[in-house]
Amino acid sequence: PGGVVVPRAGLKKYVLPPDYSGIIFPERTKLKFMDKVPAVPKVRREPRRLRDIRGPSQVATDFTQGQYGIMALGGGYLHWGHFEMIRLTIGRSMDPKTMFAIWRVPAPYKPVTRKSLGHRMGGGKGPIDHYVTAVKSGCLVVEVGGRCEFGEVKPFLTQVARKLPFPAVAVSRDGLRQMRQEEEEKKLNNQNPWTFERVVTANMLGMRKYLSPYDLRLKGRYWGKFFLKHRV
Amino acid sequence: MAALSGGGGAPWRRGWLPALQFVRRGSKAVTRHWKAMHFQRQKLMAVTEYVAPRPAVPPRCLAPRKETREEDNGYVRLLRRQVEEVFRNNRLIAVCQYNSMPGEDVVLMRHYLRKHNIEVKFVLNEIVRPVLSQSKYKNLLPLFVARNILLVSREAKVKEMLRVLKGVPQINLLGACIDDTILSRKGVENFAKLPSLEASQGQTVGALALLPSQTSSLLQRGSAHLTALLDQHIRRLQAGETGSPAEPGPAQSSGAH
């Protein structure tokens, strides 16, 4: 068309407000206070058992009540200081009338012993110093929900996620689904004919001599407590 | 690392050592720091990395797929229906350029036009253009570019409309569609100068009725001519015989009729 086109606003698209019909609020909207020491403290000192950090999580992998949460992308231990930080930061930043938050990890239950400083090796196992909770990769730490959007919740969730001892990320239901979908797609359209899984299950070139029997399950995506996101 | 060892001749007698012994060296499996991988494992990780698919034609060379936005918006559908109705019901549809006018001037103009039963409609181009392109009014499309308004009416009172628009300098007539005929600005002015429909109908009827009205006089022309001639003759005779009172001529001619 000839002539100068003067830009003007087009038709206004009226967006319907989001539908918060199926949301059930728990009794207490703020995060519960977690004890430093469990109600029945452990008498027997436990071995270290670092395998509770290794590998993918089987518990708390999906959302239950809330819509947004913090997902761990690595293994680690959360102690009482971390719990307090999470509780206070989220309690400060969220609106208890429209949002609610729930814990997805248990209170610290695993005793960690520490010998007193400056002593030589030996003399038995040290006394219990504090309690921790073990968190594996893919585990949700807290869940937040209510009549709110991801954009409102994301800032303080990322702030909390940065302070955790393992790499963590704020996710929503859609975001998590998207991540899993992308993983599947990557697995399918990988052009490399050699995959870790294939090599390990067939024990090609005797690779299992240099790999752990756990690598059959972990399939090269996990190394110690770390989760290797870029690997297929 | 594994170390192979075997007993002597009879391992089950003295005590036996396992065939493979795992040497415990270095740290545990799960460490807080990044544990150094065995070189073979590093090589395996390097070999089994993810290789992204590479299409033969890079996607930026292909034409971008324009995803057609579905008009699920009920409001858009309603506006389109209204526009279609307008084009169906009204005889006169004039498209004018609309420059920004003060509010009260707009109201005054609308008032004057409403008196002549002309409505002023503001429509968005993005709604009108698809509607027109699918109807028979395709040639009106170039008019719907910048800001414009529609003046619609059931009767075609073009003279009054032009008079009102002359008083408003911010509205310029671009074109009109009167009785499914597209007219430009000059065409509209010429249309305004035409006599009204009733007058032109009367003119045509008069022109057509002219000949039949003459038929009776044509038929009577012969006898009328004869009557006139006879009258004249009689008058001449009377004028010649001045004083003769009896006039049998006109009485005879009137009796002959």
Side-chain angles (χ1 to χ4, degrees):
Chain A
V4 179
V5 179
V6 178
R8 35 186 288 236
L11 188 66
K12 181 166 171 93
K13 291 180 185 60
Y14 294 99
V15 179
L16 290 169
D19 183 27
Y20 296 129
S21 47
I23 293 175
I24 307 156
F25 275 66
E27 285 166 11
R28 303 272 169 99
T29 48
K30 288 205 168 180
L31 285 169
K32 190 178 67 165
F33 174 76
M34 294 292 211
D35 297 318
K36 245 190 189 174
V37 171
V40 180
K42 301 246 164 75
V43 177
R44 184 87 203 271
R45 285 164 295 192
E46 284 178 359
R48 217 164 301 248
R49 260 196 275 121
L50 290 168
R51 55 182 179 269
D52 53 9
I53 305 293
R54 196 179 193 189
S57 170
Q58 306 295 332
V59 295
T61 40
D62 279 314
F63 287 92
T64 49
Q65 282 184 50
Q67 290 116 51
Y68 321 106
I70 300 179
M71 193 165 84
L73 293 175
Y77 287 124
L78 288 173
H79 57 70
W80 186 73
H82 294 123
F83 280 103
E84 281 301 284
M85 179 272 292
I86 296 174
R87 189 175 69 86
L88 292 171
T89 315
I90 292 188
R92 200 176 40 235
S93 327
M94 78 173 202
D95 181 8
K97 286 180 220 150
T98 45
M99 301 185 221
F100 65 88
I102 46 171
W103 291 109
R104 289 305 298 276
V105 287
Y109 59 86
K110 179 172 174 172
V112 160
T113 60
R114 203 130 283 176
K115 285 187 95 61
S116 29
L117 194 58
H119 284 256
R120 299 211 170 176
M121 292 284 106
K125 195 163 162 80
I128 294 176
D129 186 46
H130 58 272
Y131 290 78
V132 292
T133 15
V135 169
K136 291 195 178 187
S137 342
C139 175
L140 286 169
V141 180
V142 279
E143 246 180 71
V144 179
R147 291 180 214 107
C148 52
E149 295 295 309
F150 191 41
E152 295 171 46
V153 169
K154 201 167 153 186
F156 61 83
L157 284 187
T158 37
Q159 190 188 5
V160 166
R162 272 200 299 262
K163 290 200 197 172
L164 294 173
F166 38 80
V169 75
V171 290
S172 62
R173 281 193 197 235
D174 286 333
L176 188 62
R177 198 169 42 88
Q178 182 90 3
M179 261 164 52
R180 296 222 170 117
Q181 215 177 351
E182 269 167 24
E183 253 178 72
E184 297 288 330
E185 274 176 24
K186 260 181 109 170
K187 231 196 284 190
L188 286 172
N189 66 16
N190 187 9
Q191 301 298 303
N192 196 347
W194 310 111
T195 52
F196 193 96
E197 195 183 339
R198 194 178 155 197
V199 171
V200 164
T201 43
N203 192 13
M204 296 183 178
L205 295 176
M207 267 295 133
R208 281 187 66 177
K209 188 170 164 200
Y210 310 104
L211 304 173
S212 153
Y214 288 94
D215 283 315
L216 276 165
R217 252 182 285 158
L218 304 177
K219 293 172 195 165
R221 295 201 81 191
Y222 300 87
W223 178 239
K225 67 171 186 165
F226 303 100
F227 170 58
L228 310 167
K229 203 165 168 24
H230 53 273
R231 287 197 58 87
V232 130
Chain B
M1 304 303 274
L4 283 170
S5 74
W12 54 88
R13 248 183 229 162
R14 269 174 283 150
W16 59 279
L17 289 162
L20 277 174
Q21 261 179 347
F22 295 105
V23 176
R24 296 180 185 198
R25 61 175 290 264
S27 42
K28 297 193 164 52
V30 180
T31 51
R32 301 208 187 231
H33 61 270
W34 177 272
K35 186 166 155 192
M37 288 186 191
H38 193 279
F39 189 57
Q40 291 282 21
R41 197 195 159 112
Q42 278 181 39
K43 285 197 278 189
L44 177 64
M45 301 288 264
V47 164
T48 54
E49 260 165 28
Y50 171 69
V51 173
R54 234 180 129 194
V57 181
R60 66 193 173 106
C61 294
L62 296 167
R65 281 186 301 129
K66 278 205 184 139
E67 290 174 23
T68 50
R69 284 177 298 129
E70 289 173 15
E71 300 294 351
D72 282 328
N73 208 349
Y75 188 46
V76 170
R77 269 184 279 146
L78 172 75
L79 289 172
R80 287 208 179 152
R81 249 184 292 142
Q82 280 182 346
V83 169
E84 277 160 20
E85 251 181 74
V86 154
F87 272 93
R88 237 179 318 152
N89 295 346
N90 304 71
R91 276 182 57 197
L92 158 71
I93 305 157
V95 184
C96 309
Q97 185 208 18
Y98 170 80
N99 298 308
S100 45
M101 267 161 70
E104 50 243 15
D105 284 357
V106 176
V107 171
L108 268 174
M109 187 194 76
R110 279 185 113 138
H111 172 68
Y112 286 132
L113 287 171
R114 204 76 185 79
K115 276 197 178 159
H116 300 302
N117 218 0
I118 302 176
E119 285 175 4
V120 174
K121 290 214 185 281
F122 288 85
V123 275
L124 285 172
N125 287 343
E126 66 182 50
I127 295 163
V128 180
R129 289 191 76 102
V131 171
L132 286 188
S133 54
Q134 278 151 20
S135 71
K136 56 182 177 174
Y137 300 100
K138 288 200 191 69
N139 293 318
L140 280 174
L141 274 177
L143 291 178
F144 289 93
V145 175
R147 291 203 77 168
N148 46 33
I149 54 171
L150 286 181
L151 305 175
V152 300
S153 163
R154 291 211 178 211
E155 312 105 18
K157 285 194 181 164
V158 185
K159 239 188 279 184
E160 287 86 1
M161 186 181 81
L162 283 177
R163 210 181 301 143
V164 171
L165 291 182
K166 210 168 34 166
V168 180
Q170 290 102 340
I171 305 247
N172 307 313
L173 181 67
L174 299 174
C177 177
I178 307 178
D179 290 334
D180 292 345
T181 343
I182 296 178
L183 299 166
S184 70
R185 201 205 166 105
K186 284 244 181 74
V188 170
E189 282 162 18
N190 293 342
F191 183 85
K193 283 188 202 131
L194 288 174
S196 73
L197 191 66
E198 293 77 21
S200 40
Q201 275 175 348
Q203 268 181 1
T204 23
V205 165
L208 288 169
L210 191 62
L211 286 172
S213 63
Q214 285 178 345
T215 334
S216 64
S217 55
L218 270 174
L219 288 169
Q220 291 176 353
R221 211 172 47 176
S223 42
H225 191 57
L226 182 63
T227 325
L229 280 172
L230 287 170
D231 278 340
Q232 215 182 10
H233 183 65
I234 291 165
R235 261 189 241 115
R236 242 193 275 129
L237 283 172
Q238 278 179 352
E241 310 167 358
T242 48
S244 56
E247 295 176 2
Q252 277 174 16
S253 58
S254 57
H257 281 280

